[in-house]
Amino acid sequence: MKSCIPAKDKEEEEMNQEVPQNFIPPCQPRMSASHSAQSSYTNQRDSCPISWQPTFLPTRNSTPPETPTLPNAKLSEQHNWQALVTNVHERNAVMFNNSLMADVFFTVGLGLNQKKIPGHKFILGSGSSVFYAMLYGGLAEEVKIMEISIPDVEPAAFLNLLRFLYCDEVWIEADTVLATLYAAKKYIVPQLATACVVYLETSLSAKNACVLLSQGRLFEELELMQRCWEVIDAQAEESLTSEGFTDIDKRTLETILSRETLNTKELCVFNAVCRWAKAECVRQELSPTPQNQRRILGDCIHLIRFPAMSLEDFANGPAQSGVLTLQECHDLFLHFTAQLSPKLPFKKIGRKGLTQYRVHRFQSSAYRSNQWRYRGRCDSIQFSVDRRIFIAGFGLYGSSNATSEYKVKMELKRNGVIEGVQSTKFLSDGSSNTFPVMFESPVQIEPETFYTASVILEGKELSYFGQEGVAELQCGKVTFQFQCSSDSTNGTGVQGGQIPELIFYC
């Protein structure tokens, strides 16, 4: 996405000079050690993600310290290979996926994807209670070499499981993480399961939150489910319109539709439900007609709050969809237009949504005869938080003289990459109040990472500006840290200037 905030102007124009006392001019931010480590990660988008696949993976810019490479099965082909390894860890690594001395063979997967994988009872039994019961328990076959079929686990995931048991190594990739989590849960290997959940949490976004919620319910991962709910609530519209939403199970659909804190219009909820119903028809090999959609939805349709829609939204959407019966449409139109409306099976009150918070970084505001002016320059500030939040917009100062309209371009960037952008207008009334300017969709903010909030304002009137800013403050359960931004070319910094408020959900 091309930035709407220009780079520093090289012309020697006068910028806001009459600034509050002890104001700190734009400067290069000083990173803490933790921030320096965190900033070494960047987002890498997969070119062809599948529906539940994370949209970005944490990768390291700097080269990490090299860890000794463990030997593999090929080493055992050499004479006296045992003398070439120095410890039990390396000897076990040689045995991984090695038919040498194998006393159990697993036929894993189905069809063309099926694979035969060798194993060693002692290593497997000592690493998993399920394998111990399978290989040494009362139901174990008394044969020299056992053969076991495992059709419900993908071969790549099963190898990830064995690699962890043999080598104590965690290999997780976007396209195998859920299958690996399933294998870790099935064979009760909690350390590997935890590593999979951590990976999923770090790659969680609005695009995959609904599918990961469905998987979290399946695997009974309560912490992962809670993280998914945070994203779904705050970025409900993006989550409901994602491709992955159509892949969830019906029980997960019901829990989402019952959610009081969904931060979106009810028409968006209805459209998402219709998309899911069409996909479910295809999965059940049914024609996706409105009648079949309704039959599949059943009582789920009553979780949509049609009375909370506007009459226009209802008339142009649900009323013409064919999913509602004629009687339901008739009763809902009476609800919108008649003094006495019939009893409805739908909730009449809209969803509460999320509580909106505002962090105000200045202790006072002021105006002067020649301040604060705008000439296409950028006001910018850096910030970080100690827990995941969702920035909904900025609170901005307006005119210090009379009612005035301002044009505003604003951005939210992480490591130079634009995460959110908005171009709009707002009307100020000449007071020192702040005026909210919102992004189209809340922007997910990860903890312990610095983001840059930037605005360019255009308006005839001079505006108020903040004074006595603080570098760190608490708002609710969230701790904010602020730093000067090198992008700021109009005088805004930690101690004073524009962007007095960040509006967020948490």
Side-chain angles (χ1 to χ4, degrees):
M1 181 186 298
K2 187 176 180 181
S3 172
C4 70
I5 305 294
K8 282 189 177 180
D9 194 344
K10 294 183 179 179
E11 297 180 6
E12 295 183 357
E13 296 182 10
E14 178 188 4
M15 77 175 193
N16 294 318
Q17 296 292 335
E18 192 176 345
V19 293
Q21 189 175 2
N22 77 1
F23 173 79
I24 297 178
C27 61
Q28 290 287 351
R30 292 177 294 178
M31 293 192 207
S32 65
S34 62
H35 171 228
S36 177
Q38 177 69 25
S39 64
S40 67
Y41 288 91
T42 57
N43 292 341
Q44 176 184 349
R45 296 188 177 275
D46 195 296
S47 57
C48 299
I50 57 181
S51 60
W52 51 263
Q53 186 172 338
T55 57
F56 62 85
L57 305 176
T59 58
R60 203 184 289 268
N61 280 339
S62 58
T63 304
E66 291 188 4
T67 55
T69 302
L70 290 174
N72 56 35
K74 287 187 177 181
L75 180 64
S76 64
E77 298 174 3
Q78 299 185 27
H79 175 69
N80 195 25
W81 63 269
Q82 292 88 345
L84 302 177
V85 293
T86 59
N87 53 56
V88 173
H89 191 199
E90 291 183 351
R91 286 195 288 273
N92 282 351
V94 173
M95 291 295 100
F96 167 65
N97 200 21
N98 191 344
S99 58
L100 178 67
M101 296 185 284
D103 47 10
V104 58
F105 285 86
F106 300 95
T107 302
V108 185
L110 291 171
L112 298 176
N113 195 38
Q114 195 175 77
K115 190 171 184 179
K116 195 168 185 178
I117 299 175
H120 303 80
K121 294 180 183 179
F122 172 75
I123 295 176
L124 299 177
S126 62
S128 162
S129 59
V130 177
F131 278 129
Y132 177 81
M134 181 188 300
L135 303 174
Y136 293 99
L139 298 179
E141 298 179 13
E142 295 184 3
V143 293
K144 188 174 182 180
I145 297 179
M146 297 178 64
E147 293 191 5
I148 299 174
S149 177
I150 306 178
D152 61 327
V153 177
E154 295 180 9
F158 194 75
L159 285 172
N160 287 344
L161 173 68
L162 297 193
R163 183 181 287 107
F164 181 80
L165 296 178
Y166 278 76
C167 311
D168 202 27
E169 287 188 347
V170 177
W171 280 29
I172 303 176
E173 296 177 339
D175 55 352
T176 60
V177 59
L178 287 176
T180 302
L181 176 58
Y182 174 75
K185 285 283 188 176
K186 178 175 180 177
Y187 293 101
I188 313 181
V189 184
Q191 297 86 354
L192 180 58
T194 299
C196 291
V197 171
V198 170
Y199 181 94
L200 291 171
E201 289 178 355
T202 60
S203 60
L204 180 62
S205 72
K207 292 182 179 180
N208 58 24
C210 291
V211 172
L212 293 185
L213 174 67
S214 181
Q215 297 296 326
R217 289 185 61 256
L218 175 65
F219 297 130
E220 298 181 345
E221 287 291 343
L222 299 182
E223 187 173 349
L224 175 60
M225 291 172 62
Q226 179 57 38
R227 295 293 180 88
C228 290
W229 280 126
E230 292 174 4
V231 175
I232 293 169
D233 283 340
Q235 298 178 304
E237 187 166 340
E238 288 185 64
S239 299
L240 296 179
T241 56
S242 67
E243 292 183 11
F245 179 79
T246 61
D247 295 329
I248 64 177
D249 60 279
K250 188 173 182 179
R251 178 57 186 146
T252 302
L253 175 69
E254 291 172 350
T255 60
I256 293 175
L257 297 183
S258 302
R259 194 76 171 172
E260 190 70 32
T261 45
L262 286 182
N263 206 35
T264 188
K265 293 183 177 180
E266 205 64 25
L267 181 60
C268 178
V269 176
F270 171 76
N271 291 334
V273 169
C274 289
R275 288 177 52 244
W276 180 89
K278 290 178 182 177
E280 185 65 16
C281 284
V282 174
R283 285 191 286 268
Q284 296 188 21
E285 299 182 351
L286 297 172
S287 176
T289 62
Q291 293 74 24
N292 284 337
Q293 292 178 47
R294 177 57 186 269
R295 184 167 63 83
I296 283 175
L297 287 171
D299 290 339
C300 276
I301 199 74
H302 297 146
L303 299 175
I304 303 175
R305 305 184 183 190
F306 295 104
M309 296 181 183
S310 67
L311 174 58
E312 182 181 2
D313 283 348
F314 176 75
N316 292 326
Q320 301 184 44
S321 66
V323 174
L324 293 172
T325 65
L326 290 177
Q327 186 63 48
E328 287 169 336
C329 287
H330 176 268
D331 291 348
L332 283 165
F333 273 120
L334 287 179
H335 166 79
F336 287 116
T337 57
Q339 290 185 351
L340 295 175
S341 61
K343 186 176 181 180
L344 297 171
F346 312 102
K347 283 191 176 181
K348 298 180 180 180
I349 302 175
R351 302 175 196 272
K352 294 180 181 179
L354 291 175
T355 302
Q356 193 178 91
Y357 296 88
R358 295 190 180 198
V359 56
H360 195 92
R361 63 189 193 91
F362 298 125
Q363 299 182 57
S364 64
S365 62
Y367 69 90
R368 298 176 186 174
S369 60
N370 63 342
Q371 296 270 158
W372 192 270
R373 65 179 57 142
Y374 306 100
R375 310 177 192 82
R377 288 184 175 273
C378 178
D379 287 288
S380 184
I381 191 71
Q382 283 193 326
F383 70 93
S384 71
V385 291
D386 62 345
R387 58 175 293 177
R388 176 182 283 147
I389 65 170
F390 300 85
I391 294 291
F394 304 151
L396 302 177
Y397 286 124
S399 169
S400 59
N401 184 21
T403 300
S404 180
E405 184 179 73
Y406 286 87
K407 292 182 180 179
V408 56
K409 297 178 181 178
M410 63 185 197
E411 285 181 354
L412 196 54
K413 295 188 290 187
R414 174 185 179 181
N415 296 330
V417 178
I418 297 175
E419 302 288 338
V421 64
Q422 178 66 290
S423 295
T424 186
K425 299 177 182 179
F426 74 92
L427 186 67
S428 66
D429 58 9
S431 71
S432 61
N433 296 330
T434 58
F435 300 90
V437 183
M438 313 300 282
F439 291 105
E440 289 187 4
S441 179
V443 180
Q444 182 171 313
I445 303 298
E446 296 298 333
E448 312 303 336
T449 302
F450 271 91
Y451 291 77
T452 303
S454 302
V455 296
I456 289 180
L457 288 161
E458 294 181 25
K460 295 181 180 179
E461 297 291 340
L462 301 177
S463 81
Y464 284 88
F465 58 86
Q467 296 185 118
E468 301 177 272
V470 292
E472 181 174 324
L473 55 87
Q474 185 93 11
C475 182
K477 298 180 180 179
V478 185
T479 300
F480 286 80
Q481 290 186 347
F482 295 97
Q483 290 185 349
C484 296
S485 169
S486 58
D487 291 346
S488 189
T489 57
N490 199 45
T492 288
V494 173
Q495 295 294 323
Q498 257 288 8
I499 319 181
E501 288 181 337
L502 299 179
I503 305 170
F504 68 98
Y505 303 111
C506 67

